[in-house]
Amino acid sequence: MTMGAIYPRRKAKLQPMSGIYVHIPFCVQACTYCDFHFTTRLSDRNAMVKALIGELRAQMPNWSEHTFRTLYFGGGTPSLLTPSELAEIAKVAHEEGQWELNEWTVEANPEDLNPNTLAALKEAGINRLSIGVQSFQPEVLQWMNRIRGNCNAKQAVEWAAEAGFEHLSLDLIYGVPVGDHRRWEDDLETACNLPVDHLSCYILTAEPKTAYGHQLRIGTLSAPPDERVLDEYATLCDKTKKAGFEHYEVSSFAKPGGRSKHNSAYWDGTPYLGIGPGAHSFLDGCRWWNARSNARYMKSAEKGDFTTQRDSELLDANDRFNEALITGLRRVEGVDPKALLKHTGLDIQSQSKLAALLADGRCEWVNGRLRIPEAHWPLADAITLELIK
Ligand code: SF4
């Protein structure tokens, strides 16, 4: 069944286009490096589904002038919910809003995928799966604390392709402190030979409140040297290019037609509604976010008032300028200085450090847009910091 058959496209002429993100805050176990919001207390699952639906019903009337095009279930581990629970949440989102849905992504861990589940996810109307593989090597998965049962990630991806999803994406991590350079080449080789049209490849970062951060602090482990991480990045750019992927954002690689529409809209500054604990929303220059606490979130749902657990900030011109650079300079298209000036009143050309960045090649002008060349993307955050206000 196609997505259009399940969620008929309503004739919607309203603007602007928007997206919805739903955060599913459950995981079976904590990965060594993860500081996302989640709990391993799966017993709250039913109450959480009800709470998510409650927040959707409360929020959607505020978005009546928007047309939603993308729906994204992230986490946590959305694949811990059943396909019918995911469909139940999506159905409410659809009933309460105007839609021209063209991408519904669900993040899934490979161990949750089997032919029956995949068929049910497809039947629910999901057309894009983002599969959290991270590595195909048992040694690396062991260190990441991602071994669950007898999972064969390659097999799970092949089943997903056989199930007929329109788009498949894999998450991979490099710059890990175990294994050698060969392991990253092997992971890339495997990923590039699978029938997927998108790869998200992240450099491992050591967040302070994670097991990895702790291991570095107490000295039981050392982070890989920068040269090795840069070497792995070069291998990544080379292998994905040869396999026909376009490197369109620092961490994102797509075959033709495979770019993530949801994330691209987010990087474009499109308004988005975030549902669930810890989820962020953005509309009319205002950003707000839910508390990173399942208990507070579900209590709000019981009271029917989500506002008390929320925080917000109004973005001024400087914030909007910074946000546009932070998201724009991560992309192959870079930033349009004229649009930036129009939307913020601030001129990127007057930034004092720009001349030096252009002179040493860390920034470049291409077709009137400012961007960071691919070779310098691993340092994109540091370069952007020099330009923001
Ligand atoms: S499965 Fe994902 S969200 Fe859950 S702990 Fe691991 S990395 Fe974090």
Side-chain angles (χ1 to χ4, degrees):
M1 198 179 291
T2 66
M3 187 161 47
I6 294 166
Y7 297 131
R9 285 158 203 246
R10 294 190 196 173
K11 255 202 160 352
K13 294 205 171 57
L14 302 172
Q15 291 291 337
M17 295 300 183
S18 308
I20 294 184
Y21 172 82
V22 182
H23 190 76
I24 309 297
F26 298 108
C27 293
V28 168
Q29 56 203 36
C31 297
T32 308
Y33 52 85
C34 179
D35 81 336
F36 293 151
H37 172 65
F38 68 91
T39 175
T40 51
R41 223 177 101 111
L42 302 184
S43 54
D44 288 338
R45 235 180 59 175
N46 292 347
M48 182 57 71
V49 170
K50 270 173 81 177
L52 293 170
I53 287 175
E55 193 190 7
L56 265 174
R57 289 201 197 282
Q59 285 276 16
M60 291 301 269
N62 303 328
W63 294 72
S64 58
E65 293 183 4
H66 290 249
T67 300
F68 293 103
R69 282 201 321 185
T70 61
L71 179 58
Y72 192 106
F73 283 64
T77 311
S79 53
L80 287 178
L81 295 194
T82 63
S84 55
E85 285 170 327
L86 296 171
E88 194 187 341
I89 298 167
K91 185 164 171 275
V92 173
H94 180 74
E95 285 169 356
E96 304 279 326
Q98 293 279 356
W99 286 86
E100 282 181 6
L101 182 63
N102 58 21
E103 184 183 274
W104 177 9
T105 302
V106 170
E107 292 179 357
N109 277 354
E111 55 274 15
D112 297 326
L113 301 177
N114 59 54
N116 289 340
T117 306
L118 285 158
L121 291 169
K122 176 86 184 0
E123 183 71 13
I126 293 153
N127 73 335
R128 184 171 185 272
L129 278 187
S130 172
I131 304 176
V133 172
Q134 318 311 350
S135 172
F136 294 96
Q137 323 275 329
E139 178 200 5
V140 178
L141 293 172
Q142 186 78 49
W143 176 76
M144 290 177 171
N145 194 32
R146 287 187 68 90
I147 300 268
R148 261 172 65 197
N150 230 350
C151 173
N152 179 339
K154 195 163 164 270
Q155 171 76 85
V157 177
E158 282 161 355
W159 281 334
E162 279 160 27
F165 287 90
E166 216 176 313
H167 302 288
L168 288 177
S169 177
L170 306 185
D171 279 5
L172 298 171
I173 295 183
Y174 61 105
V176 300
V178 292
D180 56 16
H181 188 83
R182 188 64 227 167
R183 92 87 195 162
W184 178 233
E185 284 186 22
D186 289 347
D187 273 349
L188 281 173
E189 198 81 32
T190 307
C192 288
N193 283 320
L194 284 167
V196 301
D197 64 356
H198 194 276
L199 298 174
S200 295
C201 302
Y202 302 100
I203 297 178
L204 183 69
T205 51
E207 303 298 339
K209 289 186 186 158
T210 62
Y212 181 36
H214 180 70
Q215 287 165 353
L216 293 186
R217 234 179 1 262
I218 62 171
T220 52
L221 202 64
S222 307
D226 289 350
E227 304 74 51
R228 184 172 139 196
V229 178
L230 291 176
D231 210 30
E232 292 190 353
Y233 173 73
T235 304
L236 169 65
C237 295
D238 182 50
K239 280 204 180 295
T240 48
K241 191 172 179 186
K242 284 184 183 144
F245 289 89
E246 177 204 18
H247 193 180
Y248 72 101
E249 189 264 350
V250 170
S251 311
S252 309
F253 303 78
K255 293 253 177 87
R259 285 190 183 201
S260 160
K261 295 182 183 71
H262 183 84
N263 288 343
S264 298
Y266 164 71
W267 298 321
D268 277 340
T270 302
Y272 54 90
L273 169 61
I275 297 292
H280 285 230
S281 303
F282 175 70
L283 176 63
D284 293 340
C286 180
R287 189 172 22 220
W288 66 93
W289 55 94
N290 291 329
R292 278 172 63 120
S293 158
N294 288 9
R296 277 188 73 192
Y297 183 79
M298 288 189 293
K299 206 162 217 130
S300 302
E302 276 167 27
K303 288 192 199 142
D305 178 6
F306 289 89
T307 55
T308 51
Q309 52 86 49
R310 235 177 245 152
D311 267 319
S312 65
E313 65 181 349
L314 208 51
L315 304 190
D316 64 16
N318 278 355
D319 295 330
R320 293 200 305 277
F321 178 85
N322 293 344
E323 183 111 353
L325 290 189
I326 289 166
T327 52
L329 290 176
R330 296 178 61 85
R331 307 176 68 184
V332 69
E333 286 81 12
V335 169
D336 175 0
K338 288 192 199 118
L340 193 58
L341 184 62
K342 189 171 160 216
H343 292 304
T344 66
L346 299 169
D347 187 358
I348 181 79
Q349 317 240 25
S350 66
Q351 290 300 81
S352 59
K353 300 210 175 133
L354 180 58
L357 291 170
L358 289 166
D360 67 18
R362 285 183 291 158
C363 282
E364 62 182 358
W365 290 109
V366 177
N367 300 327
R369 299 175 72 101
L370 183 70
R371 71 176 195 184
I372 297 173
E374 185 190 34
H376 294 289
W377 272 357
L379 299 173
D381 290 349
I383 295 170
T384 306
L385 263 183
E386 298 199 32
L387 290 172
I388 64 178
K389 291 186 179 282

